[in-house]
Each structure stands twice: as C-alpha cells, then as structure tokens.
Amino acid sequence: MVFDAWRASFELYRAQDAESAQVRAEHLSALDRQTPVLMAANLVNALMLLASMGGWHLQGAWAWLAALVAMVALALHGRWRRRGRRFTSASVRAMHRGTLRALLLAALWAVPALFWFDGAPPGQQLAVACLTLGMMAGGAFALYALPLAALAWLGVLLLGAVTALLTDGGSHAPMLTVLVLCFAATLAVSVLAGERKATMLARAQREATRQRQMVALLLRDFEDHAAEALWETGPDGCLTHVSPRLATLLGCEQAALFDRPLLHRVREASADAAVQLRMAFDAGRPFHDLRLAVPDGQATRWWTLSGKPLFDEAGRSEGWRGVIVDISTEVQAEQRLHRMAHVDALTGLANRLTLHEALGRRLAAGLPGALLSVDLDRFKAINDSLGHSSGDAVLQAVAERLSAGVRPGDVVARLGGDEFALLALSVADGAAALALGERLIQALEAPIVIGERHLSVGASIGAVLLHAHGDGVDEVLGHADLALYQAKEGGRGRCVLYDSALGERSRRRTALEQGLRPGLAAGQFELHWQPQVELQPWRVVGAEALLRWRHPTLGPVSPAEFVPVAEQTGQIQALGDWVLRQAVAAAAGPLRGLTVSVNVSPAQLRDEAFGERVRELLLHSRIDPRLLELEITESIFLDGVEGALQRLQALHRLGVRVALDDFGTGYSSLAYLRRFAFDTLKIDRAFVSELLRRPDTQAIVRTIVQLAQQLGMRTIAEGVENEAQLAAVAATRCDHVQGYLVAMPCTLDEFVGLRRRVEARRPQPAALH
C-alpha cells in the first residue's frame, strides 16, 4: 500500500498531460501563496536559535545567517515578481526547481545540528534538537504538495540530526536515533498521503468545474434548440426563468412573462388544463408528464409538464422548477397510429384488433349477441383475372353492403384478404343469426358494378352465438371459422350455425393431425392385404396393400378419414413412403411372385422426387419392377396433369405397372386412356353391386371391359361379395376379381396361409362362365 502511494505521489513528476500540468500549477500556487509566512518563520527561528545558544560567537554563525537571509530574500523577491499572476499549468521542471530550493534551504538548517550540537551544553543541545525536529515537521507539512521536495527536506535534516546524535555519543544516542528515524518515517508517510489527497481533491475540483461548465453549455443549447423549455417559479407562483423557447411555447412575448404566474397563462389557454396544473401544485409532490390539451383555433395543442418543488435549507418552499414540452406532433402521430391499428385502411371498417377488443368486452359483460364470419366465394378468381385494383374495389363495395345490412352499434370488421366478420349485438338466438346471415348472403349475391363489368362475388357465412359454446374470444372466433368451413364444404352460398357436433368433428380432426407423425413413429400403422384373383384359372395373382391405423384413443381410423388429413397437412409423403417400403419388402419376401398393388395419393405424384424414391426402393429390394403396381384415381389429372403423367410414364418405362382405380365413378376422362397406357382398369364396387339389379349397369361394365381389352389392359372388379355377383362379373368377360367373396383384408402373416385356402376354394364352374 505504501509503495502504491509512493508511486502515485511521484506521477506528477513524470506525466506530461494537460490535466497533470494543471494540478502541478495548483500545488505550486498554493505553496507560493504561503511563501511570505514560511520565509518569515525561517528568519524568526534562526534569530531565536542564535539567541538561545547564548551568543553570536559561534563558528560560522554570521555566514550561516547571511546565507539564510539571502535564501529568504530570493524567495520573497520571486514571490513579489509573481504577484497577481495566475498560473494554469506548470511543467515538470518547475517541480524539480522547487525540490532544489527545498534541498538548499534544508542544508542550511542542517548546519546547527552538524556543527553546533556536539559539545554544546545540554540546554543548547535541547534548543538545537527541538528546532531541528520542528523544522522537519513544519517543512514537511508545508511542502507536502511537492512530495519530492518534502522528502528531500526530511532527508537532509534527518541526516543532520542522526549525525549529531551519533557524533555526540552518550548512552541514549542509539535510542534517540531510532526515535528520530521513526519520527521522520511517520512524517514521510503523512506527506505522501497528504499529497495524494490533495492531488485527488484538485482533480475532483477540476472535474466538477468541467461538469458545471458542460451542464451550463448543455442547458444553453437545450433552451436554444430543444423542443422542451425550462420553467421556474418563485414562492408566489410567478415565473422567474423565461427562455425564448418557453415564451414561444406559451404563445407570449418573453418580457410579458416575467413576474407573471404560470397558472394565469395556462388558464388563459385552457381552464381545464389550469385545473389539472393547480391540482399538481397543491399536491406538493414532483409530477411527471402531466398532459394538458390546449385549444388553438380549430386544432388542439398538447403540452406535457414535469416539475418538482424547490426548498431552501430550512425546508421553506422556494417555488417550482420543471420542463414543458409541446407534444402536439407526437399526439397526432399517436392518433394516426391508433387509427391504423384499429381501422382497416382499405375499407374503413374495424380491423381484427378492434373486433377482438369489442368481442372481449361483450363476453366479459355477459351480454348476448352473435359473431358471423364471412368469406367471399369467388373473390380470388376476380382478383387474379382482373387485378388488385378491381379486387380492392370489390372489397370496398362488400364493406359498404355489410355495413348497410347491420344495426347501429354492431361491429363490422375486415380480418384480412376477403375475410370479414360481424359482431351482431341484438341477435339473441340461432334463428335470428341464420336470418341475418341469409340477408347478408343475398345482399352480396347481387352483382357488383366495377367500371363496365358486373361481377358476382357471393359469400359463405359461419355464425356462433355468444356464451353458447364458450366465453373466450379465440374460442368464439374458432367456432365461427368451423361453421364457415362447414358452409363452404356444403356448397358455398350458405350460412351455418355452429353446434357441438361441429366442435366434436374439429376436435377429432385435430387429434388426427397431431397423431399422424407420432403414430407412424410408434408403429400404430400397419398394412392389411386383400388378394386379387384371376378368374381363368382360379388363382391368386396379386395383393392390394390397404393401410390401417389403430389410434390409441380413437380406435381404428378409416383411410378415408385420415388420408385427406395427411394430404392437407403435408404428412402424406412420409406416410406414403412408409407404405411403399413395407409393400416392396413384402413383395421381396412372403409375397414373392405376386403383383403388389399400392394406392398412391395425388399429393405424392405431385412431388418431383417421388419417381426417384420408387426407383431406389426397387433397386435396393431387387424385385422385378413388373411386380409393383401403383393405383391412382382419375382426380390426379385435374391438377398438374403434365407433371403427373411424366412421372408415371418414367416409372412405367422402368417396368412398374400402373392401375386406374375406381374407373367410371369420377370424371371419366377417356382422353387420358389414350394418353397413358394403363396396365389395369379397376371397376368400382358401385357398378358391381348394381350388376344384378340394373341391365344398363351390365352394359356399362361390359363396355369398360371391352375398352380395356382393346387397349391391352386387364380389368379387376372390386367389391365382389357373393357368387351371384361373381357370375355377373364373369359374364362381362372381366379378368380378375377382388372382394369379400375371395377374402377380407388380413395381416401379412395371415395372408400366406389364406392364399392356399383361396385357391383351394374354387367356385362352381357356372359362376366363372
């Protein structure tokens, strides 16, 4: 610690920065101001010493006194020359010159101890000792701001004192020497500590001065350029500080505001604002951002005031001081942002946020009403074909019709795109909600005239009664969306009221969506197999893979239910790839030699990488590609025809068989039969079930079979459940059959034994002709 203090004390003897130069100047100036007193003390001490030693006959006394007087005269002369001058910086050399002067003066005061102490009577020795120790202490403390000078002073006098004690001898000399050394060490440590505190104080004072100057500069700049203005009042409430900016904000001349109560000026602008400010003053506590509205012609100006009370040392009030800001621009921006946040910019209707807030208030109050979710049926086609300008005009016309069809107080909102919503406050039952929905649908069915075009838009609406199926905002909105979805599924142009059955279907669908991926990973899916039999001769030639899902809570789920969900959620690729892997593995193992049929979703065929994945599976399993048959439906051709055909043709060239499933029930695009050489046509079970009842069905099936034969395709009749149907199918010359008559779908292990039993259970020959 002492070493650190020593090192810090001598920093001023090395540092060349401006701040250190300023601190050196302050230390030297403080010592310079004490020069007359210190020099006078030196002369008085010298005369008293000579007088106490009893005479002027001491060896060299007159020379010593003359040298001391000369030193004092030089110091006083220098002080006289520097009078009235203020030094702001001092060099390191100036510090060293001060040290040299202290060293020379200390050498003069060491003379009495070195030359007059030894052999002197005890009384005179005591005078020399007291003087020497006194001069050590006095000089050290006088020179503490110049630590090197103070230590040089101490060192020289200490050398003189120790030399005198050791030269004089005596039994007490060693102990006295130790005491003198301890005294000098104590003085040295005190000098270093004092210098360090003085330097820190000087630096702190300079920093405080700099900060005061900076604050004053900032305040002047603040008042000249900032949007805010400072205000200050006395105990009587009158303004005592009036800047040009304050006068501008208050709308008065600067001179007219001095010694005028601030409250009077505010009252002239707005009585209400003056009341608010008066209440803040009466509270006697600091206040912040007190917002005041001040009329200004046709507009309104907005001020915010902040202030705090002022008190003297006795706690008496001296007035107030604070800041006033004109925030009119900010308030106008807030109002614009609020409008943007709550109003749809295109239609001027409420937006989603406003609807949420209004619905939340209605639900919280427990009041009745209905929420109607409106979706335009044909807007996308209009927007895509005629452009966004026409689309925007349609949306604005729809907004006008919806607003015209409701009662005052109802909230009509645009949620985004072509989605609207209506919060009807006067609707109390389902019949009224449906009636309102039908009126709105009729209003939107009327053509909208845009330029020379008459556009028909139409709408579907889902409605839900408040408090009937939940009290949460998101819950009510979700129920309205479910009802809207049901309306669109039912053919559009309809209004559907939400009920608990819709909620149950929604929850089941959500469970399916959330369970697909983990269910596949957990092994909840499995393949069942149904044999395909060639009629002549009666033998099993293939097997169709049928996907089954046993949900842990919902139980068995039909593919007709979960496959559309997988397609819509994008999980059909993973599910379809798993089915293909399992089917190809079965074809390479237990079903070796049989044609394995796998149903392929349109979503799978739209994937450009689908064909490559099938090729990799075949290559890895090493089965004949002709033993894999992909079953597709006619719906694949409705979207992305060319891409689907190209991928099918690439697989077909590889040897993979392709079957057209449910032929005759869908769009029956015969042109696709010419553009793609299918290997198999599968006749839907709907035709098989009517073969025995309707002759026209027999003609249709016979025509399909003949068409397939002419195009080189085989045919498979699905859904054959009894021998009568089998005979009817055989009569149409169909090649193959599949259905419960042959066997119900079963697991792979069961299928191996089932194959032999099916072939052994050959129907009567009459049924096959």
Side-chain angles (χ1 to χ4, degrees), residues 270-300:
S270 171
D272 293 338
V275 171
Q276 291 180 263
L277 185 58
R278 176 78 269 173
M279 292 174 62
F281 283 162
D282 291 343
R285 295 188 299 272
F287 58 90
H288 302 280
D289 299 328
L290 177 64
R291 181 173 291 197
L292 306 177
V294 181
D296 183 16
Q298 298 298 320
T300 300

Side-chain angles (χ1 to χ4, degrees), residues 71-92:
M71 286 284 296
V72 169
L74 286 173
L76 293 175
H77 176 68
R79 175 73 179 92
W80 177 259
R81 290 179 56 189
R82 293 188 296 274
R83 73 187 187 282
R85 296 171 61 184
R86 185 175 182 273
F87 297 95
T88 58
S89 65
S91 65
V92 173

Side-chain angles (χ1 to χ4, degrees), residues 341-358:
H342 289 79
V343 177
D344 178 63
L346 177 64
T347 63
L349 299 177
N351 62 7
R352 184 182 295 272
L353 176 61
T354 304
L355 177 68
H356 272 238
E357 293 175 350

Side-chain angles (χ1 to χ4, degrees), residues 602-661:
Q604 290 177 265
L605 273 177
R606 284 193 290 269
D607 182 4
E608 295 180 357
F610 175 75
E612 184 60 33
R613 290 200 296 273
V614 174
R615 279 192 290 271
E616 291 179 359
L617 279 174
L618 293 173
L619 183 63
H620 184 265
S621 64
R622 299 182 180 180
I623 68 168
D624 187 345
R626 291 174 297 178
L627 296 179
L628 176 63
E629 185 171 67
L630 303 180
E631 295 189 10
I632 65 170
T633 61
E634 296 170 359
S635 62
I636 187 64
F637 299 111
L638 296 180
D639 186 19
V641 172
E642 294 304 323
L645 284 176
Q646 290 173 4
R647 282 182 277 281
L648 283 173
Q649 288 166 351
L651 290 172
H652 199 256
R653 287 193 297 270
L654 188 65
V656 176
R657 301 171 62 87
V658 180
L660 184 57
D661 198 10

